[in-house]
Amino acid sequence: MAEPEGPEDRKPQSDEARSAFTPPAGVEQPVPPEEEHPTSEFAVPKGFHPEPAAEPEGSAFATPSTYSVKQAPAAFTPAHGIPLAKLPVDAPWQDRMRTMLRLPVSERPVPEARKEDESGPAVGRVLDLTLRIGELLLAGGEAAEDVEAAMFAICRSYGLDRCEPTVTFTLLSITHQPSLVDDPITANRTVRRRGTDYTRLAAVYQLLADINAEAHEVTPEEAYRRLADIRRNRHPYPGWVQTAAAGVLAGAASVLLGGDTTVFFVAALGAVLGDRLAWLCAGRGLPEFYQFLVAAMPPAAMGVLLTLLHTDLRPSAVITGGLFALIPGRALVAAVQDGLTGFYITASARLLEVGYFFVAIVVGVLSVLYLAVQFDAQLNPEGALSAVERPAIQIVAAMVLCATFAILLQQSRETVVFATLNGGVAWVVYASIAVTADGSAVMATAVAAGLVGLFGQLIARYHHTSSLPYVTAAIGPLLPGSATYFGVLAIAQNNLDQGFASLAKAAALALAIAIGVNLGSELARLFMQAPRAAAARRAAKRTRGF
């Protein structure tokens, strides 16, 4: 049983309960005199007069008391207001959309709602249509900035202002905010599969041109119908034609490097076998890394076979010709273009993809060459130094290479001719600098690729379509197949320094192609009717460092 608590065991009272100013029990609280009032210790002492407040309490937007109109600094907004960016209507829609994308949202011109009913545009359908078209463009190999410009153009054509498209390597997103007080609407779409079909890409650009044209009234329903027709269209060339084109491409590349008729057919046979093996791996669901690996092995095996038979043919031309159809020049150009325009995440992902494909080609060729070295195959790593000058034959071979490359890219028959002529001009310029004038191969490649980009962009703007069908196939003769082969061969023969130096040269040539094509495309826009100076100047200040 607990003992009762004594007075000393109780909880001590608080300071307020036992204050010295508390009167004892039974004594009333005295009334303070009238002249005395309890005050705070922070009260102002007698005789002290505080200064009046600098500003009366009020709104935060009230004019400060120290403000003087005569001494006021220059206002940010001039008296005549901030001029809006006005773009000429007859300028290409790609340039207009690219310029407005680089402007702040508050300074973009308000779009004219031309394709909407009285109740306003169907926001959900317009955003979904925009994402579907952007998916086809990104999967077809377009650069991220061009995809964003196309998505932005669709939204503005249907009257949706305050739209912000975002494109990465596999994800497309677009956000529409009706006003500053409304919640934004965001939709996104993931690119699962990529395919090379420039005929489909040209049809998508034709749809974009009709949507942005003033003379056409393409409703969202009609755009959906045309988009479904584009997806259902079959490739213009069947599989067997593409396989034959891969063989002819390899044969033309071998002739370009000094091979004769026999070398042409041997290189074509190796490329056909590699293409069929790649299709077999694709049908079994293997990743593209293994498809490139097995496709690079038959051309290398054909070159090794010629060496073991001790023929007078050029095995290096056979192996190098088979590599021309495998080097991912299209992805490399798109990657460098994304990096130069500020899309660093997409550029990094595409460069990583190119790196994987390049490693697959190296591993495939290196495996065959390593076996050849074990069988004492006398492969000559100095063959790259013996250049063969046959101008007429090489020009024809370069044009045949471009034409077959265009068929592999599933281009329409109209664009094949332009790509072939563009590639022929590129090879003439390259050979004039690198072979005839004995100049730098990297500089010659950059100059030739710049002309390819310039002419391709001008032709594309004239036909209101993408520049890829006129550019990608035309850079075929400039691809660094020879440097890649001799670098791999040197590594197989344990000459690591020479091998890595040759592979570094191949990488330099590839970057020269990509930068040259991008620079040529930028120069082509100077020949077009550009936006006004103010808009162009603001558009150039996108990635300033200050």
Side-chain angles (χ1 to χ4, degrees):
M1 183 174 179
E3 297 180 0
E5 297 180 354
E8 64 278 358
D9 298 330
R10 294 178 183 175
K11 181 179 179 181
Q13 295 180 340
S14 62
D15 293 340
E16 292 79 6
R18 51 186 177 85
S19 174
F21 298 96
T22 303
V27 180
E28 296 181 359
Q29 177 74 23
V31 179
E34 294 182 0
E35 66 275 5
E36 296 182 6
H37 298 281
T39 59
S40 172
E41 57 180 327
F42 299 101
V44 180
K46 293 182 179 181
F48 179 78
H49 301 283
E51 297 180 0
E55 294 184 15
E57 185 178 357
S59 173
F61 298 96
T63 305
S65 59
T66 57
Y67 177 80
S68 175
V69 179
K70 296 181 179 180
Q71 300 178 356
F76 176 76
T77 305
H80 52 79
I82 299 177
L84 293 176
K86 296 181 180 180
L87 307 175
V89 180
D90 53 347
W93 65 266
Q94 296 96 327
D95 292 340
R96 291 188 286 114
M97 296 302 109
R98 185 181 290 106
T99 300
M100 283 192 290
L101 273 176
R102 297 176 180 179
L103 291 173
V105 179
S106 58
E107 299 182 17
R108 293 174 184 171
V110 179
E112 298 179 1
R114 298 185 289 106
K115 301 175 177 63
E116 57 177 272
D117 52 14
E118 297 180 357
S119 61
V123 177
R125 291 183 62 83
V126 172
L127 296 184
D128 181 71
L129 175 65
T130 302
L131 290 174
R132 291 178 182 272
I133 294 179
E135 179 190 8
L136 285 180
L137 294 177
L138 187 62
E142 278 288 358
E145 187 178 31
D146 295 332
V147 177
E148 282 196 359
M151 296 171 64
F152 189 71
I154 298 171
C155 291
R156 290 185 65 87
S157 296
Y158 289 108
L160 297 185
D161 195 11
R162 296 182 176 275
C163 286
E164 288 293 335
T166 304
V167 175
T168 58
F169 184 59
T170 57
L171 181 65
L172 299 100
S173 176
I174 187 165
T175 301
H176 168 64
Q177 188 170 11
S179 64
L180 294 177
V181 297
D182 293 330
D183 295 332
I185 303 173
T186 303
N188 54 62
R189 194 174 183 88
T190 303
V191 178
R192 302 292 183 184
R193 298 181 60 185
R194 299 177 181 273
T196 304
D197 189 344
Y198 284 176
T199 301
R200 178 182 296 177
L201 190 67
V204 174
Y205 263 88
Q206 184 60 47
L207 175 59
L208 286 171
D210 294 341
I211 291 176
N212 288 275
E214 295 286 345
H216 293 78
E217 289 292 337
V218 181
T219 62
E221 288 72 19
E222 182 180 355
Y224 267 110
R225 180 186 57 79
R226 292 178 58 178
L227 190 62
D229 293 339
I230 293 173
R231 287 181 175 275
R232 284 195 298 264
N233 284 345
R234 301 185 61 182
H235 299 310
Y237 308 104
W240 67 270
V241 174
Q242 283 197 303
T243 301
V248 177
L249 188 153
S254 64
V255 173
L256 196 65
L257 299 173
D260 54 9
T261 305
T262 307
V263 171
F264 176 91
F265 285 106
V266 173
L269 178 60
V272 168
L273 293 177
D275 183 77
R276 287 294 89 191
L277 285 177
W279 277 104
L280 181 63
C281 294
R284 297 297 185 270
L286 291 178
E288 285 185 302
F289 178 88
Y290 301 103
Q291 298 176 28
F292 275 81
L293 191 149
V294 299
M297 297 178 72
M302 298 300 293
V304 171
L305 181 61
L306 292 180
T307 303
L308 294 176
L309 294 177
H310 301 286
T311 60
D312 295 333
L313 304 177
R314 297 181 55 135
S316 60
V318 174
I319 300 176
T320 304
L323 298 181
F324 267 78
L326 300 177
I327 297 177
R330 172 183 58 87
L332 180 65
V333 171
V336 175
Q337 183 174 355
D338 287 340
L340 294 177
T341 52
F343 294 85
Y344 301 114
I345 297 178
T346 307
S348 301
R350 281 180 164 168
L351 284 176
L352 184 61
E353 181 187 39
V354 171
Y356 271 105
F357 293 160
F358 192 78
V359 169
I361 296 172
V362 169
V363 171
V365 177
L366 188 60
S367 302
V368 177
L369 294 184
Y370 181 77
L371 293 177
V373 171
Q374 303 304 317
F375 285 96
D376 296 330
Q378 300 299 321
L379 296 170
N380 182 18
E382 302 297 330
L385 303 177
S386 58
V388 179
E389 293 189 28
R390 296 178 299 178
I393 297 178
Q394 288 179 328
I395 292 175
V396 173
M399 297 179 68
V400 172
L401 190 154
C402 295
T404 51
F405 204 167
I407 294 176
L408 288 177
L409 296 173
Q410 297 287 357
Q411 295 185 200
S412 60
R413 293 171 176 81
E414 295 79 11
T415 62
V416 172
V417 178
F418 291 101
T420 302
L421 295 176
N422 201 8
V425 172
W427 175 256
V428 170
V429 173
Y430 170 80
S432 300
I433 298 176
V435 180
T436 304
D438 198 17
S440 172
V442 176
M443 182 187 68
T445 302
V447 174
L451 291 178
V452 168
L454 175 63
F455 295 148
Q457 193 69 239
L458 291 176
I459 298 174
R461 295 305 176 87
Y462 180 78
H463 292 281
H464 301 286
T465 183
S466 172
S467 62
L468 290 181
Y470 307 100
V471 170
T472 306
I475 65 174
L478 305 177
L479 294 176
S482 178
T484 303
Y485 161 66
F486 286 104
V488 175
L489 176 59
I491 294 176
Q493 295 177 341
N494 292 325
N495 298 326
L496 299 182
D497 293 340
Q498 181 181 354
F500 285 115
S502 184
L503 291 180
K505 180 183 177 181
L509 292 173
L511 290 178
I513 293 173
I515 296 175
V517 169
N518 181 264
L519 181 60
S521 300
E522 294 296 333
L523 291 177
R525 297 188 180 99
L526 298 179
F527 293 94
M528 312 299 294
Q529 187 171 1
R532 293 188 178 183
R537 185 167 56 253
R538 291 301 303 271
K541 297 179 180 180
R542 187 173 114 178
T543 55
R544 295 182 301 176
F546 56 90

